């Protein structure tokens, strides 16, 4: 489905003091960098393959805070003696999210072996998220895999964190490189869920379609990051199905490329287009987007080849014409620079 490219929107996460707002946004940008991309790419929608920087270690010298400070409600559950607190502090641990998006500092370890899965309804105490983050404050119920709370960066972090927690666990979420916690979470209880491999094929396809639909809505609303997360989840569900998989996978990979171009990740966009073109060699949008990605990477020959293929089929494609013109100009600039370098070398 064709939509116009929309510039990335920053999360509205104003906290109380201005300084806290700036620090929090800087840390968030470090975890989820957004690079500006020129308008006019005309992608259809998106999926994400954005990989944030690996999490840096939390400073070992930082002062250890009260493990239950800031938690309110059910105060009898949170009353801890000095001996108990020392035991909890000794049990504190760090857990690094595999994609590097955050670090979890475990304050109180949970019990049991089970963790929330897809469909689990979690009773959670959430505290400290920035104002405007879209996350609730206090006791709330969050369902893994569904709900608008997952669509922003903060919701994605929370869902990943909850999926790593056991019942009764309390933890602080840190952004990469920051010793100041972003928020605190306590997982009080949760219902049984299912791993994706436990779902029937028809269930996976239904969930993927819903993620696809919601992703398109978010993209049209100017929220490429939220849309990217929806498309990414849809693809992960469909990729577990036996090959060749449903045709929707091709659309999702094409949407992935559009997202990655918009967010400034041309190498990932080119890889996503490759997946589309493996299934449909004549997919014009994938050829165009790969051409744009190759131009951004400086591979002008490949960019020219892809854009010419688009124009050979659709000579009136204005976006491809404009992009090819930019590539030609970029090539002349490179040639001129090379010529100047050679003249200096042999003069």
């Amino acid at each position: 489905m064709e939509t116009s490219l929309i510039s990335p929107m920053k999360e509205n996460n104003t906290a109380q003091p201005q300084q806290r707002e700036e620090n929090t946004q800087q840390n968030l940008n470090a975890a989820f960098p957004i690079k500006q991309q020129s308008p006019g790419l005309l992608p259809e929608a998106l999926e994400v393959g954005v990989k944030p920087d690996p999490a840096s270690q939390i400073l070992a010298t930082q002062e250890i805070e009260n493990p239950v400070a800031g938690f309110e409600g059910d105060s009898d559950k949170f009353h801890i003696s000095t001996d108990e607190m020392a035991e909890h502090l000794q049990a504190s641990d760090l857990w690094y999210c595999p994609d590097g998006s955050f670090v979890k500092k475990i304050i109180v370890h949970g019990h049991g072996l089970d963790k929330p899965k897809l469909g689990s309804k979690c009773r959670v105490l959430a505290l400290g998220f920035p104002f405007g983050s879209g996350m609730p404050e206090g006791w709330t119920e969050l369902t893994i895999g569904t709900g608008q709370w997952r669509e922003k960066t903060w919701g994605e972090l929370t869902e990943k964190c909850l999926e790593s927690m056991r019942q009764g666990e309390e933890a602080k979420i840190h952004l990469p490189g920051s010793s100041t916690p972003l928020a605190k979470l306590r997982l009080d209880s949760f219902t049984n869920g299912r791993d994706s491999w436990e779902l029937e094929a028809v269930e996976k396809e239904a969930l993927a379609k819903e993620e696809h639909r919601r992703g398109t809505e978010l993209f049209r609303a100017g929220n490429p990051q939220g849309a990217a997360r929806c498309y990414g989840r849809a693809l992960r569900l469909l990729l577990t199905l036996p090959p060749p998989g449903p045709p929707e996978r091709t659309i999702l990979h094409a949407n992935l490329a559009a997202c990655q171009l918009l967010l400034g990740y041309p190498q990932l966009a080119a890889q996503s287009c490759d997946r589309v073109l493996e299934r449909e060699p004549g997919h014009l949008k994938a050829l165009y987007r790969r051409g744009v990605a190759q131009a951004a990477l400086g591979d002008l020959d490949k960019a020219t080849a892809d854009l010419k293929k688009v124009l050979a089929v659709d000579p009136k494609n204005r976006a491809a014409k404009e992009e090819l013109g930019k590539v030609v100009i970029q090539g002349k600039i490179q040639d001129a620079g090379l010529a100047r370098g050679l003249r200096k070398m042999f003069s």
Side-chain angles (χ1 to χ4, degrees):
M1 183 178 298
E2 189 73 35
T3 62
S4 58
L5 186 62
I6 304 173
S7 298
M9 296 176 61
K10 294 182 179 179
E11 301 286 356
N12 182 17
N13 55 351
T14 55
Q16 300 159 354
Q18 183 66 25
Q19 185 62 42
R20 180 183 174 187
E21 175 189 356
E22 294 175 355
N23 292 340
T24 302
Q25 186 61 47
Q26 289 172 1
N27 290 332
L28 179 63
N29 289 341
F32 296 91
I34 299 179
K35 302 179 183 179
Q36 294 296 331
Q37 193 68 249
S38 58
L41 296 179
L42 300 176
E44 48 191 306
L46 14 135
E47 187 243 355
V48 74
V50 177
K51 294 185 179 179
D53 295 334
S56 302
Q57 278 198 339
I58 299 175
L59 298 178
T61 56
Q62 74 180 83
E63 181 180 354
I64 298 178
E65 303 176 17
N66 185 332
V68 294
F71 285 97
E72 300 177 1
D74 293 349
S75 58
D76 57 322
K77 294 184 180 180
F78 288 97
H79 180 72
I80 299 179
S81 67
T82 303
D83 292 338
E84 289 173 328
M85 184 178 296
E87 181 181 349
H88 285 310
L89 289 175
Q90 290 174 3
S92 296
D93 199 3
L94 299 181
W95 181 84
Y96 295 86
C97 185
D99 66 6
S101 57
F102 71 95
V103 182
K104 180 182 70 172
K105 181 179 181 182
I106 302 172
I107 303 303
V108 177
H109 283 258
H111 53 83
L113 298 176
D114 292 335
K115 299 176 183 178
K117 300 177 182 178
L118 184 66
S120 293
K121 293 182 179 180
C122 305
R123 185 170 184 262
V124 179
L125 182 60
L127 294 170
F129 284 102
F131 177 77
S133 66
M135 291 300 299
E137 185 78 3
W139 287 104
T140 186
E141 185 177 276
L142 303 175
T143 301
I144 302 296
T146 62
Q148 294 185 6
W149 66 276
R150 311 158 63 233
E151 291 168 1
K152 293 187 177 182
T153 299
W154 316 97
E156 182 184 30
L157 292 181
T158 300
E159 184 172 54
K160 290 177 183 177
C161 188
L162 289 174
E163 289 177 318
S164 73
M165 299 175 74
R166 296 193 297 269
Q167 185 171 348
E169 183 176 322
E170 298 170 24
K172 297 177 183 178
I173 299 176
H174 292 254
L175 294 179
S178 173
S179 60
T180 303
L182 166 69
K184 299 178 182 178
L185 291 176
R186 171 181 169 173
L187 178 59
D188 190 61
S189 62
F190 59 91
T191 61
N192 292 331
R194 291 188 291 173
D195 287 313
S196 60
W197 57 266
E198 297 178 283
L199 300 176
E200 298 292 338
V202 65
E203 294 177 294
K204 293 180 181 180
E205 291 185 19
L207 287 171
K209 286 181 180 179
E210 178 58 26
E211 293 284 8
H212 190 169
R213 182 196 64 78
R214 183 57 183 161
T216 301
E217 288 180 357
L218 290 171
F219 185 79
R220 288 173 175 171
N223 183 359
Q225 282 191 317
R229 284 185 279 275
C230 289
Y231 283 103
R233 288 190 289 260
L235 255 183
R236 285 191 291 273
L237 285 165
L238 296 181
L239 288 173
T240 62
L241 297 177
E248 192 174 11
R249 278 178 52 179
T250 301
I251 299 173
L252 289 168
H253 279 303
N255 291 344
L256 163 62
C259 168
Q260 291 162 338
L261 284 175
L262 180 60
L263 295 175
Y265 293 89
Q267 186 170 4
L268 294 174
Q271 292 172 1
S272 299
C273 291
D274 287 341
R275 293 174 183 172
V276 176
L277 295 168
E278 286 172 2
R279 296 168 68 103
E280 295 185 26
H283 197 289
L284 293 185
K285 290 179 181 178
L287 284 169
Y288 168 73
R289 290 168 192 163
R290 191 172 68 177
V292 174
Q294 296 292 0
L297 293 169
D299 196 332
L300 303 185
D301 289 338
K302 289 184 178 179
T304 299
D306 282 339
L307 294 170
K308 284 185 175 180
K309 287 179 182 177
V310 174
L311 292 173
V313 177
D314 183 9
K316 296 182 179 180
N317 191 312
R318 196 169 96 180
K321 285 182 179 180
E322 291 178 356
E323 192 62 33
L324 183 59
K326 293 177 185 178
V327 170
V328 171
I329 294 173
Q330 190 176 347
K332 290 180 178 179
I333 293 173
Q334 285 187 1
D335 291 343
L338 178 61
R340 284 195 300 270
L342 291 173
R343 283 196 297 269
K344 289 182 181 180
M345 185 182 298
F346 295 103
S347 61

